[in-house]
Coordinates of all heavy atoms in Angstrom, one line a residue:
M1 N 1.6 7.9 30.4 CA 0.8 7.6 29.2 C -0.5 6.8 29.7 O -0.4 5.9 30.5 CB 1.5 6.6 28.2 CG 0.7 6.2 27.0 SD 1.5 5.1 25.9 CE 2.8 6.1 25.3
S2 N -1.6 7.4 29.2 CA -2.8 6.8 29.7 C -3.2 5.5 28.9 O -2.5 5.2 27.9 CB -4.0 7.8 29.6 OG -4.3 8.0 28.2
G3 N -4.2 4.8 29.4 CA -4.6 3.6 28.7 C -5.2 3.8 27.4 O -4.9 3.1 26.4
V4 N -5.8 4.9 27.2 CA -6.4 5.3 25.9 C -5.3 5.6 24.9 O -5.3 5.2 23.7 CB -7.3 6.5 25.9 CG1 -7.8 7.0 24.6 CG2 -8.6 6.2 26.9
D5 N -4.3 6.4 25.4 CA -3.0 6.6 24.5 C -2.3 5.4 24.0 O -2.0 5.2 22.9 CB -2.1 7.6 25.2 CG -2.7 9.1 25.3 OD1 -3.7 9.4 24.6 OD2 -2.2 9.8 26.2
A6 N -2.2 4.5 25.0 CA -1.5 3.2 24.7 C -2.3 2.4 23.7 O -1.7 1.8 22.7 CB -1.4 2.4 26.0
L7 N -3.7 2.3 23.8 CA -4.5 1.6 22.8 C -4.4 2.3 21.5 O -4.4 1.6 20.5 CB -5.9 1.6 23.3 CG -6.2 0.5 24.4 CD1 -7.7 0.6 24.9 CD2 -6.0 -0.9 23.9
L8 N -4.4 3.6 21.4 CA -4.3 4.3 20.2 C -2.9 4.0 19.5 O -2.9 3.7 18.3 CB -4.5 5.8 20.4 CG -4.3 6.7 19.2 CD1 -5.6 6.4 18.2 CD2 -4.5 8.2 19.6
L9 N -1.9 4.1 20.3 CA -0.6 3.8 19.7 C -0.6 2.3 19.2 O 0.1 2.0 18.2 CB 0.6 4.0 20.7 CG 0.8 5.5 21.0 CD1 1.9 5.6 22.1 CD2 1.4 6.2 19.6
L10 N -1.1 1.4 20.0 CA -1.2 0.0 19.5 C -2.0 -0.2 18.2 O -1.5 -0.9 17.3 CB -1.8 -0.9 20.6 CG -1.9 -2.4 20.4 CD1 -0.6 -3.0 20.2 CD2 -2.8 -3.1 21.4
G11 N -3.0 0.5 18.1 CA -3.9 0.4 16.9 C -3.1 1.0 15.7 O -3.2 0.5 14.6
V12 N -2.4 2.2 15.9 CA -1.5 2.7 14.8 C -0.5 1.8 14.4 O -0.3 1.6 13.2 CB -1.0 4.0 15.2 CG1 0.1 4.6 14.3 CG2 -2.1 5.1 15.5
E13 N 0.3 1.2 15.3 CA 1.3 0.3 14.9 C 0.8 -1.0 14.3 O 1.5 -1.5 13.4 CB 2.2 -0.1 16.2 CG 3.1 1.1 16.6 CD 4.0 1.7 15.6 OE1 4.5 0.9 14.9 OE2 4.0 2.9 15.5
L14 N -0.2 -1.5 14.8 CA -0.9 -2.7 14.2 C -1.3 -2.3 12.7 O -1.1 -3.1 11.8 CB -2.1 -3.1 15.0 CG -2.8 -4.4 14.6 CD1 -1.8 -5.7 14.6 CD2 -4.0 -4.7 15.3
S15 N -1.9 -1.2 12.5 CA -2.4 -0.7 11.2 C -1.1 -0.7 10.2 O -1.2 -1.2 9.1 CB -3.1 0.6 11.2 OG -4.3 0.4 12.0
R16 N 0.0 -0.1 10.7 CA 1.2 0.1 9.9 C 1.7 -1.3 9.6 O 2.3 -1.5 8.5 CB 2.2 0.9 10.6 CG 1.9 2.3 10.6 CD 3.0 3.2 11.2 NE 2.7 4.6 11.4 CZ 3.2 5.3 12.3 NH1 4.0 4.9 13.3 NH2 2.8 6.6 12.3
A17 N 1.8 -2.2 10.6 CA 2.3 -3.6 10.3 C 1.5 -4.3 9.2 O 2.1 -4.9 8.4 CB 2.3 -4.4 11.6
I18 N 0.1 -4.2 9.3 CA -0.7 -4.8 8.4 C -0.5 -4.2 6.9 O -0.3 -5.0 5.9 CB -2.2 -4.8 8.7 CG1 -2.5 -5.6 9.9 CG2 -3.0 -5.1 7.6 CD1 -3.8 -5.4 10.6
I19 N -0.3 -2.9 6.9 CA -0.2 -2.3 5.5 C 1.2 -2.6 5.0 O 1.4 -2.9 3.8 CB -0.3 -0.7 5.6 CG1 -1.7 -0.4 6.0 CG2 0.1 0.0 4.4 CD1 -2.0 1.1 6.5
T20 N 2.2 -2.7 5.9 CA 3.6 -3.0 5.4 C 3.6 -4.4 4.9 O 4.2 -4.8 3.9 CB 4.6 -2.8 6.5 OG1 4.5 -1.4 7.0 CG2 6.0 -3.2 6.2
A21 N 2.9 -5.3 5.7 CA 2.9 -6.8 5.3 C 2.3 -6.9 3.8 O 2.8 -7.7 3.0 CB 2.2 -7.6 6.3
Y22 N 1.2 -6.2 3.7 CA 0.4 -6.3 2.4 C 1.3 -5.7 1.2 O 1.4 -6.2 0.2 CB -0.9 -5.6 2.5 CG -1.8 -5.9 1.3 CD1 -2.3 -7.2 1.0 CD2 -1.9 -5.0 0.3 CE1 -3.1 -7.5 0.1 CE2 -2.7 -5.2 -0.8 CZ -3.2 -6.5 -1.0 OH -4.1 -6.8 -2.0
S23 N 2.0 -4.7 1.5 CA 2.9 -4.0 0.7 C 4.0 -4.9 0.1 O 4.3 -5.1 -1.0 CB 3.5 -2.7 1.1 OG 2.5 -1.8 1.4
V24 N 4.6 -5.6 1.2 CA 5.7 -6.5 0.9 C 5.1 -7.7 0.0 O 5.8 -8.2 -0.9 CB 6.4 -7.0 2.2 CG1 7.3 -8.1 1.8 CG2 7.1 -5.9 2.8
Y25 N 4.0 -8.2 0.5 CA 3.3 -9.3 -0.3 C 3.1 -8.9 -1.7 O 3.4 -9.7 -2.7 CB 2.0 -9.7 0.4 CG 1.1 -10.4 -0.4 CD1 1.3 -11.8 -0.6 CD2 0.0 -10.0 -1.1 CE1 0.5 -12.6 -1.4 CE2 -0.8 -10.6 -1.8 CZ -0.6 -12.1 -2.0 OH -1.5 -12.7 -2.8
A26 N 2.6 -7.7 -2.1 CA 2.3 -7.3 -3.3 C 3.6 -7.2 -4.2 O 3.6 -7.7 -5.4 CB 1.6 -6.0 -3.4
I27 N 4.6 -6.7 -3.5 CA 5.9 -6.7 -4.2 C 6.5 -8.0 -4.6 O 7.1 -8.2 -5.7 CB 6.9 -5.7 -3.5 CG1 6.4 -4.2 -3.4 CG2 8.3 -5.7 -4.0 CD1 7.1 -3.4 -2.4
V28 N 6.6 -8.8 -3.6 CA 7.1 -10.2 -3.8 C 6.2 -11.0 -4.8 O 6.8 -11.6 -5.7 CB 7.1 -11.0 -2.4 CG1 7.3 -12.5 -2.7 CG2 8.1 -10.4 -1.6
L29 N 4.9 -10.8 -4.8 CA 4.1 -11.5 -5.7 C 4.4 -11.0 -7.2 O 4.6 -11.9 -8.1 CB 2.6 -11.2 -5.5 CG 1.6 -11.9 -6.4 CD1 1.6 -13.3 -6.1 CD2 0.3 -11.3 -6.2
I30 N 4.7 -9.8 -7.4 CA 4.9 -9.3 -8.8 C 6.4 -9.6 -9.2 O 6.6 -9.9 -10.4 CB 4.6 -7.7 -8.9 CG1 4.4 -7.4 -10.4 CG2 5.6 -6.9 -8.4 CD1 3.1 -7.7 -10.9
L31 N 7.2 -9.6 -8.3 CA 8.6 -9.9 -8.6 C 8.8 -11.4 -8.9 O 9.5 -11.8 -9.8 CB 9.6 -9.6 -7.4 CG 9.9 -8.0 -7.3 CD1 10.9 -7.8 -6.1 CD2 10.6 -7.6 -8.6
G32 N 8.1 -12.2 -8.1 CA 8.0 -13.7 -8.4 C 7.5 -14.0 -9.7 O 7.9 -14.8 -10.4
G33 N 6.4 -13.2 -10.1 CA 5.8 -13.4 -11.3 C 6.7 -13.1 -12.5 O 6.7 -13.7 -13.5
F34 N 7.4 -11.9 -12.3 CA 8.3 -11.5 -13.3 C 9.5 -12.5 -13.5 O 9.8 -12.7 -14.6 CB 8.8 -10.1 -13.0 CG 9.9 -9.6 -13.9 CD1 9.5 -9.0 -15.1 CD2 11.1 -9.4 -13.5 CE1 10.4 -8.6 -16.0 CE2 12.1 -8.9 -14.4 CZ 11.7 -8.4 -15.6
L35 N 10.0 -12.9 -12.4 CA 11.2 -13.8 -12.5 C 10.9 -15.1 -13.0 O 11.7 -15.8 -13.7 CB 11.8 -13.8 -11.1 CG 12.5 -12.6 -10.5 CD1 13.1 -12.9 -9.2 CD2 13.7 -12.1 -11.5
A36 N 9.7 -15.6 -12.7 CA 9.3 -16.9 -13.2 C 8.5 -16.8 -14.6 O 8.1 -17.8 -15.2 CB 8.3 -17.6 -12.3
R37 N 8.5 -15.6 -15.1 CA 7.8 -15.3 -16.5 C 6.3 -15.7 -16.4 O 5.8 -16.3 -17.4 CB 8.6 -15.9 -17.6 CG 10.0 -15.2 -17.8 CD 10.6 -15.8 -19.1 NE 11.7 -15.0 -19.6 CZ 12.8 -14.8 -19.1 NH1 13.0 -15.0 -17.8 NH2 13.7 -14.1 -19.8
L38 N 5.6 -15.5 -15.3 CA 4.3 -15.8 -15.2 C 3.4 -14.5 -15.6 O 3.9 -13.4 -15.4 CB 3.9 -16.2 -13.8 CG 4.6 -17.5 -13.3 CD1 4.2 -17.8 -11.8 CD2 4.1 -18.7 -14.1
P39 N 2.3 -14.7 -16.2 CA 1.6 -13.5 -16.4 C 1.0 -12.9 -15.2 O 0.6 -13.6 -14.2 CB 0.3 -14.0 -17.3 CG 0.3 -15.5 -17.0 CD 1.7 -16.0 -16.7
T40 N 0.9 -11.5 -15.2 CA 0.4 -10.8 -14.0 C -0.8 -9.9 -14.5 O -0.8 -9.5 -15.6 CB 1.4 -9.9 -13.4 OG1 2.0 -9.1 -14.4 CG2 2.5 -10.7 -12.7
R41 N -1.7 -9.8 -13.6 CA -2.9 -8.9 -13.9 C -2.6 -7.5 -13.6 O -1.6 -7.2 -12.8 CB -4.1 -9.4 -13.1 CG -4.5 -10.8 -13.4 CD -5.7 -11.2 -12.5 NE -5.7 -10.6 -11.3 CZ -6.0 -11.2 -10.2 NH1 -6.4 -12.4 -10.2 NH2 -6.0 -10.6 -9.0
W42 N -3.4 -6.6 -14.1 CA -3.1 -5.1 -13.8 C -3.2 -4.9 -12.4 O -2.6 -3.9 -11.8 CB -4.0 -4.2 -14.7 CG -5.5 -4.3 -14.3 CD1 -6.4 -5.1 -14.8 CD2 -6.2 -3.4 -13.4 NE1 -7.6 -4.8 -14.1 CE2 -7.5 -3.8 -13.3 CE3 -5.7 -2.4 -12.6 CZ2 -8.3 -3.2 -12.5 CZ3 -6.6 -1.8 -11.7 CH2 -7.9 -2.2 -11.7
E43 N -4.2 -5.5 -11.7 CA -4.4 -5.3 -10.3 C -3.1 -5.5 -9.5 O -2.8 -4.8 -8.6 CB -5.5 -6.1 -9.8 CG -6.9 -5.8 -10.2 CD -7.3 -6.8 -11.5 OE1 -6.4 -7.4 -12.1 OE2 -8.5 -7.0 -11.7
E44 N -2.5 -6.7 -9.8 CA -1.2 -7.0 -9.1 C -0.1 -6.0 -9.3 O 0.6 -5.6 -8.4 CB -0.8 -8.4 -9.5 CG -1.7 -9.5 -9.1 CD -1.5 -10.8 -9.9 OE1 -0.8 -10.8 -10.9 OE2 -2.0 -11.8 -9.3
R45 N 0.0 -5.5 -10.5 CA 0.9 -4.5 -11.0 C 0.7 -3.1 -10.2 O 1.7 -2.5 -9.6 CB 1.0 -4.3 -12.4 CG 1.6 -5.5 -13.1 CD 1.9 -5.4 -14.5 NE 0.7 -5.0 -15.3 CZ 0.0 -6.0 -16.0 NH1 0.3 -7.1 -16.0 NH2 -1.1 -5.6 -16.7
V46 N -0.6 -2.7 -10.1 CA -0.9 -1.4 -9.5 C -0.6 -1.7 -7.9 O -0.2 -0.7 -7.3 CB -2.4 -1.1 -9.8 CG1 -2.8 0.0 -8.8 CG2 -2.6 -0.8 -11.2
E47 N -1.0 -2.8 -7.3 CA -0.8 -3.0 -5.9 C 0.7 -3.0 -5.6 O 1.2 -2.4 -4.5 CB -1.4 -4.3 -5.5 CG -2.9 -4.3 -5.4 CD -3.6 -5.6 -5.1 OE1 -2.8 -6.6 -5.2 OE2 -4.8 -5.6 -4.8
A48 N 1.5 -3.6 -6.5 CA 3.0 -3.7 -6.3 C 3.5 -2.3 -6.3 O 4.4 -1.9 -5.5 CB 3.6 -4.5 -7.3
L49 N 3.1 -1.4 -7.3 CA 3.5 0.0 -7.4 C 3.1 0.8 -6.1 O 3.9 1.4 -5.6 CB 2.9 0.6 -8.6 CG 3.3 2.1 -8.9 CD1 4.7 2.1 -9.2 CD2 2.5 2.7 -10.1
G50 N 1.8 0.5 -5.6 CA 1.4 1.1 -4.5 C 2.2 0.8 -3.2 O 2.6 1.6 -2.3
G51 N 2.5 -0.6 -3.1 CA 3.4 -1.1 -2.0 C 4.8 -0.5 -2.1 O 5.3 -0.1 -1.0
S52 N 5.3 -0.3 -3.3 CA 6.6 0.3 -3.4 C 6.6 1.8 -2.9 O 7.6 2.2 -2.3 CB 7.1 0.2 -4.9 OG 7.3 -1.1 -5.3
F53 N 5.6 2.5 -3.4 CA 5.4 3.8 -3.0 C 5.4 4.0 -1.4 O 5.9 4.8 -0.8 CB 4.2 4.5 -3.6 CG 4.5 5.0 -5.0 CD1 5.6 4.7 -5.7 CD2 3.4 5.7 -5.6 CE1 5.8 5.1 -7.0 CE2 3.6 6.2 -6.9 CZ 4.8 5.8 -7.6
Y54 N 4.5 3.1 -0.8 CA 4.2 3.1 0.5 C 5.5 2.9 1.3 O 5.9 3.5 2.3 CB 3.2 2.2 1.0 CG 2.9 2.1 2.5 CD1 2.1 3.2 3.1 CD2 3.5 1.1 3.3 CE1 2.0 3.2 4.4 CE2 3.3 1.2 4.7 CZ 2.5 2.3 5.2 OH 2.4 2.2 6.6
L55 N 6.3 1.8 1.0 CA 7.5 1.4 1.7 C 8.6 2.5 1.4 O 9.3 2.8 2.5 CB 8.0 0.1 1.2 CG 7.2 -1.1 1.6 CD1 7.8 -2.4 1.0 CD2 7.1 -1.1 3.1
A56 N 8.6 3.1 0.3 CA 9.6 4.2 0.1 C 9.2 5.4 1.0 O 10.2 6.0 1.5 CB 9.6 4.6 -1.4
G57 N 8.0 5.7 1.2 CA 7.5 6.8 2.0 C 7.8 6.5 3.5 O 8.3 7.3 4.2
V58 N 7.6 5.2 3.9 CA 8.0 4.8 5.3 C 9.5 4.9 5.6 O 9.8 5.4 6.6 CB 7.4 3.4 5.6 CG1 8.0 2.9 6.9 CG2 5.9 3.4 5.6
I59 N 10.3 4.5 4.6 CA 11.7 4.5 4.8 C 12.1 6.0 4.9 O 12.9 6.3 5.7 CB 12.4 3.8 3.6 CG1 12.1 2.3 3.8 CG2 13.8 4.1 3.6 CD1 12.6 1.5 2.6
L60 N 11.6 6.8 3.9 CA 11.9 8.3 4.0 C 11.5 8.9 5.3 O 12.3 9.6 5.9 CB 11.3 8.9 2.8 CG 11.8 10.3 2.5 CD1 13.2 10.3 2.1 CD2 11.0 10.8 1.3
W61 N 10.4 8.5 5.8 CA 9.8 9.1 7.0 C 10.7 8.6 8.2 O 11.0 9.4 9.1 CB 8.4 8.6 7.2 CG 7.7 9.0 8.4 CD1 7.5 10.2 8.9 CD2 7.3 8.2 9.4 NE1 6.8 10.2 10.1 CE2 6.7 8.9 10.5 CE3 7.3 6.6 9.6 CZ2 6.2 8.3 11.7 CZ3 6.7 6.2 10.7 CH2 6.2 6.9 11.8
R62 N 11.1 7.4 8.2 CA 11.8 6.9 9.4 C 13.3 7.5 9.4 O 13.8 7.7 10.5 CB 12.0 5.4 9.3 CG 10.8 4.6 9.5 CD 10.4 4.6 11.0 NE 9.3 3.7 11.1 CZ 8.6 3.7 12.3 NH1 9.0 4.4 13.3 NH2 7.6 2.9 12.3
Y63 N 13.9 7.8 8.3 CA 15.3 8.1 8.2 C 15.5 9.7 8.2 O 16.6 10.1 8.5 CB 16.0 7.5 7.2 CG 16.3 6.0 7.5 CD1 15.6 5.0 6.8 CD2 17.2 5.6 8.5 CE1 15.8 3.7 7.0 CE2 17.4 4.3 8.8 CZ 16.6 3.3 8.0 OH 16.8 2.0 8.3
Y64 N 14.5 10.4 7.7 CA 14.5 11.8 7.6 C 13.4 12.5 8.2 O 12.8 13.5 7.7 CB 14.6 12.2 6.0 CG 15.8 11.7 5.3 CD1 15.7 10.6 4.4 CD2 17.1 12.2 5.6 CE1 16.7 10.1 3.8 CE2 18.1 11.7 4.9 CZ 18.1 10.6 4.0 OH 19.2 10.1 3.4
A65 N 13.0 12.0 9.4 CA 11.9 12.6 10.1 C 12.1 13.9 10.5 O 13.2 14.3 11.0 CB 11.5 11.7 11.3
G66 N 11.2 14.9 10.3 CA 11.3 16.2 10.8 C 12.1 17.1 9.8 O 12.1 18.3 10.0
G67 N 12.6 16.5 8.8 CA 13.3 17.4 7.8 C 12.4 17.8 6.7 O 11.2 17.9 6.8
D68 N 13.1 18.2 5.6 CA 12.3 18.8 4.5 C 11.7 17.6 3.7 O 10.9 18.0 2.8 CB 13.4 19.5 3.5 CG 14.0 20.7 4.1 OD1 13.4 21.2 5.1 OD2 15.1 21.0 3.7
A69 N 11.8 16.5 4.0 CA 11.3 15.4 3.2 C 9.9 15.0 3.7 O 9.3 14.0 3.1 CB 12.2 14.1 3.4
Y70 N 9.4 15.7 4.7 CA 8.0 15.3 5.2 C 6.9 15.3 4.1 O 6.2 14.4 4.1 CB 7.6 16.2 6.3 CG 6.2 15.9 6.9 CD1 6.0 14.6 7.7 CD2 5.1 16.6 6.6 CE1 4.8 14.3 8.2 CE2 3.9 16.2 7.1 CZ 3.7 15.1 7.8 OH 2.5 14.8 8.3
D71 N 6.9 16.3 3.3 CA 5.8 16.3 2.3 C 5.9 15.2 1.2 O 5.0 14.6 0.8 CB 5.9 17.7 1.5 CG 5.4 18.9 2.4 OD1 4.8 18.7 3.3 OD2 5.9 20.0 2.1
L72 N 7.2 14.9 0.9 CA 7.5 13.8 0.0 C 7.1 12.6 0.6 O 6.4 11.7 -0.1 CB 8.9 13.9 -0.5 CG 9.3 12.7 -1.5 CD1 8.4 12.8 -2.7 CD2 10.8 12.7 -1.8
D73 N 7.4 12.2 1.9 CA 7.2 11.0 2.4 C 5.6 10.8 2.7 O 5.0 9.7 2.5 CB 8.0 10.7 3.7 CG 7.6 11.5 5.0 OD1 6.4 11.2 5.4 OD2 8.4 12.1 5.4
L74 N 5.0 11.9 3.0 CA 3.6 11.8 3.2 C 2.8 11.6 1.8 O 1.9 10.7 1.8 CB 3.0 13.1 3.8 CG 1.5 13.1 4.1 CD1 1.2 12.1 5.1 CD2 1.2 14.5 4.6
F75 N 3.4 12.2 0.8 CA 2.8 11.9 -0.6 C 3.0 10.5 -1.0 O 2.1 9.8 -1.5 CB 3.6 12.8 -1.6 CG 3.2 12.5 -3.0 CD1 1.9 12.8 -3.6 CD2 4.1 11.8 -3.8 CE1 1.6 12.4 -4.8 CE2 3.8 11.5 -5.1 CZ 2.6 11.8 -5.7
L76 N 4.2 9.9 -0.7 CA 4.5 8.6 -1.1 C 3.7 7.7 -0.3 O 3.1 6.7 -0.9 CB 6.0 8.2 -0.9 CG 7.0 8.9 -1.8 CD1 8.3 8.6 -1.5 CD2 6.7 8.4 -3.3
R77 N 3.4 7.8 1.0 CA 2.6 6.9 1.8 C 1.2 6.9 1.4 O 0.6 6.0 1.3 CB 2.9 7.2 3.3 CG 4.2 6.8 3.8 CD 4.4 7.0 5.3 NE 4.4 8.4 5.5 CZ 4.1 9.0 6.6 NH1 3.5 8.3 7.6 NH2 4.2 10.3 6.8
A78 N 0.7 8.2 1.2 CA -0.7 8.3 0.9 C -1.1 7.8 -0.5 O -2.0 7.2 -0.8 CB -1.1 9.8 1.0
S79 N -0.2 8.2 -1.5 CA -0.5 7.6 -2.8 C -0.2 6.2 -2.9 O -0.9 5.4 -3.6 CB 0.4 8.4 -3.9 OG 1.9 8.1 -3.7
G80 N 0.7 5.6 -2.1 CA 0.9 4.2 -2.1 C -0.4 3.5 -1.5 O -0.7 2.4 -2.1
M81 N -0.9 4.0 -0.4 CA -2.1 3.4 0.1 C -3.3 3.5 -0.9 O -4.0 2.5 -1.1 CB -2.6 4.1 1.4 CG -1.8 3.5 2.6 SD -2.0 1.8 2.8 CE -3.8 1.7 2.8
A82 N -3.4 4.6 -1.6 CA -4.4 4.7 -2.7 C -4.3 3.7 -3.7 O -5.3 3.1 -4.2 CB -4.4 6.1 -3.2
L83 N -3.1 3.5 -4.2 CA -2.8 2.5 -5.2 C -3.1 1.1 -4.7 O -3.4 0.2 -5.5 CB -1.4 2.7 -5.8 CG -1.2 3.8 -6.7 CD1 0.3 4.0 -7.1 CD2 -2.1 3.8 -7.9
L84 N -2.7 0.9 -3.5 CA -3.1 -0.5 -2.8 C -4.5 -0.8 -2.8 O -4.9 -1.9 -3.1 CB -2.5 -0.6 -1.5 CG -1.0 -0.9 -1.4 CD1 -0.6 -0.7 0.1 CD2 -0.7 -2.3 -1.8
V85 N -5.3 0.2 -2.6 CA -6.8 0.0 -2.5 C -7.5 0.1 -3.9 O -8.6 -0.4 -3.9 CB -7.4 1.0 -1.5 CG1 -8.9 1.0 -1.4 CG2 -6.7 0.8 -0.1
L86 N -7.0 0.8 -4.8 CA -7.6 1.1 -6.0 C -8.1 -0.2 -6.8 O -9.3 -0.2 -7.2 CB -6.7 1.9 -6.9 CG -7.2 2.3 -8.3 CD1 -8.3 3.3 -8.1 CD2 -6.2 3.0 -9.1
P87 N -7.3 -1.2 -7.0 CA -7.8 -2.4 -7.7 C -9.1 -3.0 -7.0 O -10.1 -3.4 -7.7 CB -6.7 -3.3 -7.7 CG -5.5 -2.5 -7.5 CD -5.9 -1.4 -6.6
R88 N -9.1 -3.0 -5.7 CA -10.3 -3.6 -5.0 C -11.5 -2.6 -5.2 O -12.6 -3.2 -5.4 CB -10.0 -3.8 -3.5 CG -11.1 -4.5 -2.8 CD -10.6 -5.0 -1.4 NE -9.4 -5.7 -1.5 CZ -9.5 -7.2 -1.6 NH1 -10.6 -7.7 -1.7 NH2 -8.3 -7.9 -1.7
L89 N -11.3 -1.4 -5.1 CA -12.3 -0.5 -5.4 C -12.9 -0.6 -6.8 O -14.1 -0.6 -7.0 CB -11.9 1.0 -5.1 CG -12.9 2.1 -5.4 CD1 -14.0 2.0 -4.4 CD2 -12.1 3.5 -5.3
V90 N -12.1 -0.7 -7.8 CA -12.5 -0.8 -9.1 C -13.3 -2.2 -9.3 O -14.4 -2.2 -9.9 CB -11.3 -0.8 -10.1 CG1 -11.6 -1.3 -11.6 CG2 -10.7 0.6 -10.2
R91 N -12.8 -3.3 -8.7 CA -13.6 -4.5 -8.8 C -15.0 -4.4 -8.1 O -16.0 -4.9 -8.7 CB -12.8 -5.7 -8.1 CG -11.8 -6.3 -9.0 CD -11.1 -7.4 -8.4 NE -9.8 -7.0 -8.0 CZ -9.1 -7.3 -6.9 NH1 -9.7 -8.0 -6.0 NH2 -7.9 -6.9 -6.7
V92 N -15.1 -3.7 -7.0 CA -16.4 -3.6 -6.3 C -17.3 -2.7 -7.2 O -18.5 -3.1 -7.4 CB -16.2 -2.9 -4.9 CG1 -17.5 -2.5 -4.4 CG2 -15.5 -3.9 -4.0
V93 N -16.8 -1.6 -7.7 CA -17.6 -0.7 -8.6 C -18.1 -1.5 -9.8 O -19.3 -1.5 -10.2 CB -16.8 0.6 -9.0 CG1 -17.6 1.3 -10.1 CG2 -16.7 1.4 -7.8
L94 N -17.3 -2.2 -10.5 CA -17.5 -3.0 -11.7 C -18.6 -4.1 -11.3 O -19.5 -4.4 -12.1 CB -16.3 -3.6 -12.3 CG -15.4 -2.6 -13.1 CD1 -14.2 -3.3 -13.6 CD2 -16.2 -1.9 -14.2
R95 N -18.4 -4.7 -10.3 CA -19.4 -5.8 -9.8 C -20.7 -5.2 -9.6 O -21.7 -5.7 -9.9 CB -18.8 -6.6 -8.6 CG -19.7 -7.7 -8.2 CD -19.3 -8.4 -7.1 NE -19.2 -7.6 -5.8 CZ -18.2 -7.4 -5.0 NH1 -17.1 -8.2 -5.2 NH2 -18.2 -6.7 -4.0
E96 N -20.8 -4.0 -8.9 CA -22.0 -3.4 -8.5 C -22.7 -2.7 -9.8 O -23.9 -2.7 -9.9 CB -21.9 -2.5 -7.4 CG -21.5 -3.1 -6.1 CD -22.6 -4.0 -5.6 OE1 -23.7 -3.6 -5.7 OE2 -22.2 -5.0 -5.1
Y97 N -22.0 -2.0 -10.6 CA -22.6 -1.2 -11.6 C -22.4 -1.6 -12.9 O -23.0 -1.1 -13.8 CB -22.1 0.3 -11.4 CG -22.5 0.8 -10.0 CD1 -21.6 1.0 -9.1 CD2 -23.8 1.2 -9.7 CE1 -21.9 1.5 -7.8 CE2 -24.3 1.6 -8.5 CZ -23.3 1.8 -7.6 OH -23.6 2.3 -6.4
G98 N -21.4 -2.5 -13.2 CA -21.0 -2.8 -14.6 C -21.3 -4.2 -15.0 O -21.0 -4.6 -16.2
G99 N -21.6 -5.1 -14.1 CA -21.6 -6.5 -14.4 C -22.9 -7.0 -14.9 O -23.7 -7.5 -14.1
G100 N -23.2 -7.0 -16.2 CA -24.3 -7.7 -16.8 C -25.7 -7.1 -16.6 O -26.6 -7.7 -16.8
R101 N -25.7 -5.8 -16.3 CA -27.0 -5.2 -16.0 C -27.4 -4.4 -17.2 O -26.8 -3.9 -18.0 CB -27.0 -4.3 -14.8 CG -27.0 -5.0 -13.5 CD -27.1 -4.2 -12.4 NE -26.9 -5.0 -11.2 CZ -26.9 -4.4 -10.0 NH1 -27.2 -3.1 -9.8 NH2 -26.8 -5.2 -8.9

């Protein structure tokens, strides 16, 4: 394995670790709010749904790799990432184009 390949693999694993940590954070935040009966914002609920999708896709990918589940786990991981990013994207768009102009 060359140095470039090792750096690429390190970058991929680091990215997966960060996404997984954020997914778990979003799920814990919404579950804690639900159990404590605290109000939650729509952004938190969407991020938790995205985190759940992403983690389900990763679990499916890890345990059924190479099987018929590849399309499903790729869909779950991609849609989970999209839902994790969506609230931030909406906030940026509203701030730039919809805020008091």
Side-chain angles (χ1 to χ4, degrees):
M1 177 182 294
S2 71
V4 173
D5 290 340
L7 282 176
L8 183 63
L9 286 175
L10 178 66
V12 168
E13 289 303 318
L14 183 62
S15 299
R16 284 186 186 150
I18 291 169
I19 295 166
T20 302
Y22 191 73
S23 297
V24 170
Y25 164 77
I27 293 168
V28 167
L29 184 68
I30 203 75
L31 284 177
F34 176 74
L35 293 175
R37 289 184 165 62
L38 297 173
T40 56
R41 299 182 324 222
W42 71 270
E43 293 99 337
E44 295 166 339
R45 292 188 294 266
V46 170
E47 287 174 346
L49 181 63
S52 300
F53 279 8
Y54 179 79
L55 290 178
V58 168
I59 290 168
L60 193 62
W61 175 65
R62 292 282 186 192
Y63 289 108
Y64 297 106
D68 295 334
Y70 178 73
D71 291 336
L72 179 59
D73 74 65
L74 184 60
F75 169 76
L76 287 170
R77 287 183 289 150
S79 60
M81 275 306 304
L83 288 172
L84 279 168
V85 173
L86 182 65
R88 187 165 306 270
L89 178 65
V90 169
R91 276 186 254 139
V92 167
V93 168
L94 288 176
R95 184 179 64 227
E96 290 297 320
Y97 298 108
R101 289 186 184 180

